[in-house]
């Protein structure tokens, strides 16, 4: 401070700013309203360093200390001419001024603005600048001057705005400022990403294309990302299910691709973060551009049912996700271990229009058995439950064309061998059948003759026994029908008698109702008649009472009032007499008491006069009451009251007589109805007794009939144990023994030469078909395997759906089991199934019998007997 000095000091007092003083102006300083002291200040080294004009010339700074009513005291430093300075990195201030801030520790500040060029914007951003100068450093803060924030940052989208407030920060170290520029230079502002606001930090570069905006956000979800992308992309992206969430997000925005250290930042908007998709944790790099959103990253090891997914070449599996107007899908590349074999897998997923997830891998068991396996979740993922790691999967695999063709070739070869073998065996078997047929047939004819004779004898006896049984049934039925007719007759009689007595009861009830109704009407009429008499008597009482009151309404009340007045005055006079007597008995020297006697006597005289007046009024009122007119009207009123009392007494008597008549009618008709009811009960009892008797006779007859018919039926049942039946059974057993004792050839001979011929013809025809079609007899067109992943990993079998044709136009579709541990047995199973279908008449459209190659078993004999 000792190096500072002032020159040309001047005191300026003005009543207005910039006053026109003409020739009286002696000051070279700007005129301001109020009182001010101005002087030229010696150079300030710190200011000279920052402004950059310390070239041996004085800055000519002007110090102004002033006071005004509006602003109070101020201490400012001005440049003699507009002065700007270059902060660094292409940023220049507009004309600045200096301000001294007074307080506990005075500070020197540079006040002005700063222009910051940014990529994609013709005009630089302008900030208000407030730079505080300290001994070794300087720091500045500022705000964007334009309202509303920085719109369309880096020209990415007109819909993006950083703000609305942007805060500028500048840090300067004097010792390195002119070599390296500011040690810290940037600004911060908010950027809305969906419902989340990120605080963007901007590090200023001298080359605008290398500028970078960055921010940290704790959480984003997929809806936030799509909403933000729709502000950038010209084509809108549909809103997908919210099944992806981002955590610990580091956002970046730059006009062109920038590489800082080893990190490459793509042009536009991008971020890196941790991500959870479908219950799987991963790291991701995300870029947002005009075409949409692209995500790529590495996934932690995760489960798909019982399988663990890991990386193929790297420790972690990789995933990609693309969100555009036409596509919202992605994939996961990884490796799994299935049935002890490491296999590359690819999971494909789609978010829109439907949320789907599945994966596939190539399963190579042998050179022949190699197929693509597709896995679909058993529980379909949804926005509410997107986790694909907690469900099991349904496996579906389809054989490749080459594998399917090789299987078809093998099976056709097996058919060729079987057809040739069975054709030869069928010829030999047919010859044996022909030789055995004649001998067996002769023996069977003799046994059948004996069987027919025994059956005829038993049939004759059976017919006679059955005829006897039918005759007994007819007799017993006639008896029971007669008793049932009698029972119905008694029931009809009961019904008729009950109806007659019921009609009598109904008539009695009707008569009772009519008589009660008549007596009730008579009672109501009497009540109405006497109610009229009583009402008239009431009116007369009211009329005479009203007439008396109209003429002499207040007379009796006046008499009572006059009597009360006279009695009251008499009591007051008595009270005065007692007081005068008491005062008269006082001693003579009690002058105050003696002095009260004359006054009391005067008051007593006034009361006596008032009593005489009241007596006169009472006599007048009594005279009115004793007049003839009053006596006549009062007598009329008393007579009306007497008439009312008599009407009420006589009316009550008349009504009581009518009510007693009603009660008598009720009692008499009740007895009449009770007698009719008893008659009805008697008819019912007699009728029911007769019906019960007839019903009992019917029950006895029915039971007897059952016993008689049962005895006849026993004879019929004994037909199976009579001598004739025993003879028939013996003959039948002889025939059965002959059948059982015969060889397979004899049994076939029983069925007939026609079936044997059919077998031979079938074998020859199948062989001819196979020879005709050579390798195309069987054409397998599709083999689809399916299983549940959890069970398949444990070694369970696949369900195999086999579809194709035989002999060109016979389509087949069947299911068998496929075990990955026994692949060769799969071919045999297909062949056996096709052979079974042929033997069941698949090619004939009906059922054939082919037992040539395998001989005859007990089950086969039974099936032949059924045919």
């Amino acid at each position: 401070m000792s190096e500072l000095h002032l020159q040309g000091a001047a005191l300026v007092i003005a009543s207005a700013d910039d006053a026109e003083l003409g020739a009286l102006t002696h000051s070279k300083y700007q005129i301001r309203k109020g009182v001010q002291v101005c002087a030229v200040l010696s150079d300030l080294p710190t200011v000279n360093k920052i402004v950059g004009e310390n070239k041996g010339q004085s800055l000519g700074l002007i110090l102004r200390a002033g006071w005004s009513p509006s602003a109070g005291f101020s201490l400012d430093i001005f440049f003699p001419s507009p002065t700007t300075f270059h902060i660094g990195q292409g940023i220049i201030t507009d004309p600045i001024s200096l301000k001294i801030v007074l307080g506990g520790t005075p500070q020197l500040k540079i006040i002005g603005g700063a222009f910051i060029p940014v990529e994609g914007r013709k005009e630089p951003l302008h900030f208000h600048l407030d730079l505080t100068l300290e001994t070794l450093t300087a720091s500045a803060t500022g705000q964007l001057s334009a309202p509303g924030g920085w719109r369309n940052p880096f020209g990415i989208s007109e819909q993006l705005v950083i703000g609305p407030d942007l805060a500028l920060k500048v840090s300067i170290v004097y010792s390195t400022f002119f070599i390296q520029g500011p040690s810290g230079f940037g600004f911060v502002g908010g950027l809305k990403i969906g419902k989340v606001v990120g605080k963007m930090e901007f590090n200023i570069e001298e080359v605008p294309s290398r500028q970078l905006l960055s921010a940290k956000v704790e959480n984003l979800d997929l809806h936030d990302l799509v909403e933000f992308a729709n502000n950038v992309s010209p084509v809108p992206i549909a809103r997908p299910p919210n099944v992806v969430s981002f955590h610990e997000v580091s956002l970046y925005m730059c006009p062109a691709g920038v590489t800082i250290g080893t990190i490459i930042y793509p042009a536009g908007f991008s971020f890196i973060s941790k991500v959870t998709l479908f219950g799987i944790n991963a790291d991701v790099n995300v870029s947002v551009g005009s075409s949409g959103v692209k995500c790529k990253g590495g996934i932690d090891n995760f489960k798909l049912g019982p399988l663990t997914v890991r990386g193929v070449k790297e420790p972690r599996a990789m995933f990609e996700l693309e969100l555009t107007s036409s596509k919202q899908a992605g994939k996961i590349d990884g490796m799994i271990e299935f049935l002890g074999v490491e296999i590359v897998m690819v999971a494909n997923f789609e978010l829109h229009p439907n949320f789907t997830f599945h994966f596939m891998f190539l399963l190579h068991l042998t050179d022949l058995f190699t197929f693509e396996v597709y896995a679909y979740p058993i529980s379909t993922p949804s926005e509410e439950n997107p986790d694909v790691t907690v469900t099991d999967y349904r496996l579906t695999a389809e054989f490749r064309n080459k594998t399917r063709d090789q299987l078809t070739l093998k099976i056709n070869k097996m058919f060729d061998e079987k057809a040739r073998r069975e054709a030869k065996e069928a010829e030999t078997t047919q010859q044996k059948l022909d030789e055995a047929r004649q001998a067996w047939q002769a023996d069977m004819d003799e046994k059948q003759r004996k069987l027919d004779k025994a059956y005829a004898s038993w049939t004759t006896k059976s017919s006679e026994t059955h005829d006897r049984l039918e005759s007994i049934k007819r007799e017993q039925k006639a008896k029971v029908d007669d008793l049932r007719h009698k029972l119905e007759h008694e029931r009809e009689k009961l019904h008729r008698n009950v109806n007659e007595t019921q009609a009598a009861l109904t008539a009695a009830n009707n008569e009772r109702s009519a008589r009660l109704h008549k007596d009730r009407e008579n009672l109501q009429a009497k009540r109405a008649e006497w109610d009229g008499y009583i009402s008239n008597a009431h009116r007369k009482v009211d009329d005479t009472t009203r007439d008396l009151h109209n003429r002499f309404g207040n007379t009796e009340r006046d008499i009572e009032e006059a009597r009360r007045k006279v009695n009251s005055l008499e009591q007051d006079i008595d009270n005065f007499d007692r007081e005068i007597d008491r005062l008269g008995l006082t001693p003579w020297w009690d002058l105050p008491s003696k002095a009260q006697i004359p006054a009391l006597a005067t008051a007593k005289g006034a009361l006596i006069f008032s009593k005489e007046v009241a007596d006169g009024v009472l006599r007048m009122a009594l005279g009115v009451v004793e007049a003839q007119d009053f006596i006549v009207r009062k007598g009329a009123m008393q007579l009306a009251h007497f008439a009312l009392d008599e009407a009420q007494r006589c009316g009550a008597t008349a009504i009581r007589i009518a009510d007693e008549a009603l009660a008598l009618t009720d009692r008499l008709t009740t007895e009449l109805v009770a007698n009719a009811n008893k008659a009805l009960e008697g008819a019912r009892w007699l009728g029911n007794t007769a019906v019960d008797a007839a019903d009992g006779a019917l029950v006895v007859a029915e039971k007897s009939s059952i016993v008689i018919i049962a005895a006849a039926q026993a004879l019929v049942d004994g037909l199976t144990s009579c001598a004739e039946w025993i003879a028939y059974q013996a003959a039948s057993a002889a025939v059965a023994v002959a059948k059982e004792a015969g060889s397979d050839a004899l049994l076939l001979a029983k069925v007939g030469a026609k079936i044997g011929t059919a077998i031979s013809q079938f074998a020859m025809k199948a062989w001819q078909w196979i020879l005709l079609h050579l390798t195309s007899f069987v054409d397998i067109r599709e083999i689809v395997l399916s299983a549940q992943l959890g069970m398949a990993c444990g070694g369970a079998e696949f369900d195999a759906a086999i579809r194709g044709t035989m002999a060109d136009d016979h389509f087949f579709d069947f299911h068998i089991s496929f075990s990955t541990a026994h692949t060769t047995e799969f071919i045999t199973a297909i062949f056996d199934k096709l052979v079974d279908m042929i033997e069941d008449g698949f090619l004939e459209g009906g059922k054939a019998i082919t037992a040539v190659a395998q001989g005859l078993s007990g089950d086969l004999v039974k099936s032949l007997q059924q045919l």
Side-chain angles (χ1 to χ4, degrees):
M1 295 295 292
S2 59
E3 297 176 357
L4 297 178
H5 59 271
L6 301 174
Q7 294 178 352
L11 175 64
V12 181
I13 302 173
S15 60
D17 291 342
D18 300 324
E20 293 291 338
L21 301 179
L24 297 177
T25 301
H26 302 291
S27 174
K28 58 183 177 181
Y29 306 115
Q30 187 177 12
I31 304 299
R32 295 292 179 89
K33 181 180 179 181
V35 178
Q36 60 181 336
V37 176
C38 300
V40 177
L41 181 65
S42 61
D43 290 342
L44 300 174
T46 301
V47 176
N48 285 11
K49 289 179 181 180
I50 292 177
V51 175
E53 297 186 3
N54 188 10
K55 300 177 182 179
Q57 298 179 357
S58 174
L59 294 176
L61 299 174
I62 299 173
L63 175 66
R64 184 180 70 86
W67 180 91
S68 66
S70 60
F73 180 78
S74 61
L75 188 61
D76 300 316
I77 300 174
F78 297 95
F79 289 88
S81 61
T83 301
T84 62
F85 73 94
H86 187 277
I87 297 177
Q89 299 175 338
I91 301 171
I92 302 175
T93 68
D94 51 11
I96 63 174
S97 63
L98 300 175
K99 183 179 182 64
I100 299 174
V101 180
L102 301 177
T105 302
Q107 293 178 328
L108 179 62
K109 292 189 175 185
I110 296 178
I111 307 299
F115 293 94
I116 302 176
V118 291
E119 185 72 11
R121 181 183 175 96
K122 295 180 180 179
E123 298 295 330
L125 297 175
H126 182 264
F127 285 83
H128 296 298
L129 189 65
D130 186 343
L131 182 65
T132 301
L133 304 178
E134 298 178 359
T135 304
L136 300 176
T137 62
S139 61
T141 60
Q143 289 286 332
L144 184 69
S145 59
W150 180 10
R151 186 173 297 278
N152 190 14
F154 300 142
I156 294 176
S157 172
E158 287 290 342
Q159 305 301 320
L160 295 183
V161 178
I162 297 179
D165 297 322
L166 269 70
L168 176 68
K169 292 183 178 181
V170 182
S171 298
I172 296 175
V173 178
Y174 301 141
S175 60
T176 60
F177 176 65
F178 290 105
I179 300 173
Q180 301 177 355
S183 58
F185 202 166
F187 59 80
V188 294
L191 175 65
K192 189 173 184 182
I193 306 167
K195 60 180 177 294
V196 179
V197 176
K199 187 176 182 182
M200 303 299 294
E201 296 182 357
F202 182 63
N203 293 318
I204 299 171
E205 292 283 344
E206 193 159 358
V207 180
S209 63
R210 292 180 56 81
Q211 293 169 343
L212 180 69
L213 277 164
S214 63
K216 300 286 187 181
V217 174
E218 188 65 27
N219 294 296
L220 284 178
D221 59 29
L222 193 57
H223 286 172
D224 295 328
L225 179 59
V226 171
E227 184 176 343
F228 178 81
N230 282 331
N231 291 329
V232 176
S233 174
V235 181
I237 302 173
R239 185 182 177 95
N242 203 12
V243 295
V244 181
S245 57
F246 304 92
H247 321 287
E248 301 177 18
V249 182
S250 297
L251 304 167
Y252 303 97
M253 189 184 300
C254 59
V258 177
T259 300
I260 299 177
T262 59
I263 301 176
I264 299 174
Y265 301 96
F269 180 86
S270 64
F271 66 82
I272 59 175
S273 73
K274 296 184 181 300
V275 64
T276 301
L277 65 163
F278 327 139
I280 307 170
N281 296 322
D283 297 322
V284 67
N285 292 323
V286 180
S287 62
V288 181
S290 59
S291 61
V293 180
K294 293 184 178 180
C295 306
K296 183 180 292 187
I299 297 183
D300 296 345
N301 292 355
F302 64 95
K303 290 280 191 179
L304 288 176
L307 302 179
T308 298
V309 182
R310 57 180 177 82
V312 180
K313 297 180 179 179
E314 302 293 334
R316 308 171 78 201
M318 305 302 294
F319 86 97
E320 295 178 3
L321 170 62
E322 188 173 351
L323 302 172
T324 66
S325 59
S326 60
K327 176 183 178 182
Q328 293 191 18
K331 67 174 184 174
I332 300 173
D333 294 315
M335 180 171 286
I336 59 175
E337 182 176 331
F338 183 68
L339 300 178
V341 181
E342 289 189 336
I343 305 173
V344 175
M345 60 78 68
V346 176
N348 294 287
F349 56 88
E350 185 179 71
L351 302 183
H352 187 80
N354 297 309
F355 180 24
T356 62
F357 181 92
H358 70 276
F359 64 93
M360 62 83 60
F361 55 88
L362 184 66
L363 181 60
H364 177 80
L365 299 176
T366 66
D367 291 338
L368 181 61
F369 291 95
T370 300
F371 35 80
E372 293 178 345
V373 181
Y374 293 86
Y376 298 89
I378 293 177
S379 299
T380 304
S382 63
E383 184 171 9
E384 295 74 21
N385 186 19
D387 196 335
V388 299
T389 66
V390 297
T391 181
D392 203 352
Y393 286 77
R394 171 64 63 182
L395 300 182
T396 301
E398 185 172 354
F399 278 60
R400 292 184 168 183
N401 293 339
K402 181 179 178 181
T403 302
R404 192 176 63 243
D405 293 342
Q406 290 176 346
L407 284 174
T408 301
L409 185 61
K410 284 181 176 292
I411 291 174
N412 277 311
K413 186 177 179 180
M414 295 169 71
F415 266 108
D416 178 61
E417 295 173 353
K418 180 176 178 62
R420 293 178 187 275
R421 183 175 64 253
E422 291 194 354
K424 184 176 181 181
E425 292 175 354
E427 183 178 355
T428 303
T429 302
Q430 183 65 40
Q431 184 178 358
K432 293 179 180 180
L433 290 176
D434 293 338
E435 294 173 355
R437 183 186 309 153
Q438 295 178 357
W440 177 82
Q441 187 64 51
D443 183 61
M444 289 299 300
D445 289 344
E446 177 62 21
K447 288 180 171 57
Q448 186 65 45
R449 185 186 62 79
K450 294 179 179 179
L451 175 65
D452 293 341
K453 182 179 179 181
Y455 181 72
S457 176
W458 178 80
T459 301
T460 301
K461 183 172 183 178
S462 175
S463 177
E464 293 173 354
T465 305
H466 279 90
D467 291 343
R468 176 60 182 164
L469 174 64
E470 293 301 320
S471 175
I472 292 173
K473 285 182 177 179
R474 285 192 297 271
E475 293 175 1
Q476 293 303 316
K477 182 177 183 302
K479 291 180 181 180
V480 171
D481 288 344
D482 181 61
L483 291 173
R484 188 174 286 113
H485 175 72
K486 291 180 179 179
L487 173 62
E488 292 300 324
H489 174 72
E490 292 299 330
R491 284 176 176 168
E492 291 176 358
K493 183 178 178 181
L494 168 64
H495 181 70
R496 184 171 56 255
N497 291 337
V498 168
N499 287 342
E500 291 174 356
T501 53
Q502 182 69 49
L505 175 61
T506 302
N509 277 322
N510 292 338
E511 181 181 356
R512 166 180 163 76
S513 298
R515 292 175 64 180
L516 287 176
H517 178 71
K518 181 178 179 181
D519 288 350
R520 287 193 183 99
E521 286 183 343
N522 180 53
L523 175 61
Q524 293 296 329
K526 289 296 182 179
R527 285 176 175 169
E529 178 183 1
W530 282 102
D531 283 346
Y533 293 154
I534 293 170
S535 296
N536 290 333
H538 271 296
R539 280 194 299 273
K540 289 181 180 180
V541 169
D542 293 340
D543 291 343
T544 54
T545 302
R546 187 167 47 253
D547 181 58
L548 179 63
H549 286 173
N550 289 340
R551 302 275 306 212
F552 307 101
N554 297 326
T555 302
E556 292 182 344
R557 186 178 66 249
D558 292 344
I559 292 171
E560 293 301 321
E561 181 65 25
R563 281 177 177 163
R564 283 195 299 271
K565 184 68 174 176
V566 170
N567 292 334
S568 176
L569 290 173
E570 284 181 351
Q571 289 177 0
D572 291 341
I573 292 171
D574 292 340
N575 291 336
F576 273 96
D577 286 339
R578 283 192 295 271
E579 182 66 16
I580 291 171
D581 292 340
R582 185 184 67 80
L583 293 174
L585 296 175
T586 59
W588 60 267
W589 60 81
D590 188 3
L591 296 179
S593 296
K594 297 294 185 180
Q596 293 180 18
I597 293 175
L600 292 174
T602 302
K604 176 183 175 184
L607 289 174
I608 292 173
F609 177 75
S610 297
K611 178 179 179 299
E612 291 176 353
V613 173
D615 286 336
V617 172
L618 176 60
R619 286 193 296 272
M620 291 177 62
L622 290 173
V624 172
V625 171
E626 294 172 356
Q628 184 66 32
D629 190 27
F630 177 82
I631 294 172
V632 170
R633 282 175 169 75
K634 189 170 184 178
M637 182 184 70
Q638 293 173 345
L639 182 61
H641 275 286
F642 175 76
L644 174 61
D645 294 339
E646 286 299 312
Q648 290 175 337
R649 184 181 61 78
C650 294
T653 301
I655 290 170
R656 178 177 53 77
I657 292 171
D659 194 47
E660 289 174 352
L662 174 62
L664 177 61
T665 300
D666 182 41
R667 186 172 63 258
L668 295 176
T669 55
T670 298
E671 293 176 358
L672 177 65
V673 170
N675 292 333
N677 213 349
K678 290 178 180 179
L680 174 61
E681 293 299 324
R684 283 177 176 170
W685 182 83
L686 292 175
N688 285 329
T689 301
V691 169
D692 290 343
D695 188 55
L698 175 61
V699 170
V700 170
E702 287 176 339
K703 291 181 178 179
S704 300
S705 176
I706 291 172
V707 173
I708 295 171
I709 292 173
Q713 182 67 46
L715 296 176
V716 173
D717 296 338
L719 288 172
T720 57
S721 59
C722 64
E724 292 82 355
W725 175 256
I726 293 173
Y728 167 67
Q729 288 295 311
S732 180
V735 174
V737 169
K739 290 180 180 178
E740 293 294 333
S743 65
D744 290 343
L746 293 176
L747 292 176
L748 284 175
K750 176 183 178 296
V751 176
K754 184 176 181 181
I755 295 179
T757 302
I759 296 173
S760 177
Q761 289 176 350
F762 163 73
M764 294 298 293
K765 190 172 184 179
W767 179 71
Q768 290 172 359
W769 274 335
I770 295 171
L771 291 180
L772 180 65
H773 293 86
L774 295 177
T775 59
S776 62
F777 175 66
V778 174
D779 181 13
I780 298 178
R781 299 180 180 180
E782 185 179 37
I783 301 178
V784 179
L785 305 180
S786 63
Q788 190 167 326
L789 176 59
M791 298 176 64
C793 288
E797 296 180 339
F798 284 79
D799 176 73
I802 317 296
R803 300 179 182 90
T805 59
M806 277 194 294
D808 291 336
D809 57 355
H810 294 76
F811 179 78
F812 59 81
D813 182 353
F814 60 85
H815 290 253
I816 61 174
S817 297
F818 172 75
S819 173
T820 56
H822 305 91
T823 54
T824 56
E825 295 178 2
F826 181 60
I827 301 174
T828 304
I830 296 176
F831 175 74
D832 291 342
K833 179 64 178 180
L834 293 173
V835 170
D836 291 341
M837 293 171 62
I838 293 172
E839 292 178 351
D840 286 341
F842 178 71
L843 297 178
E844 292 282 331
K847 190 169 185 179
I849 302 176
T850 57
V852 178
Q854 49 190 309
L856 295 177
S857 64
D859 291 339
L860 181 58
V861 169
K862 293 180 180 178
S863 65
L864 290 175
Q865 289 174 345
Q866 292 173 359
L867 288 173

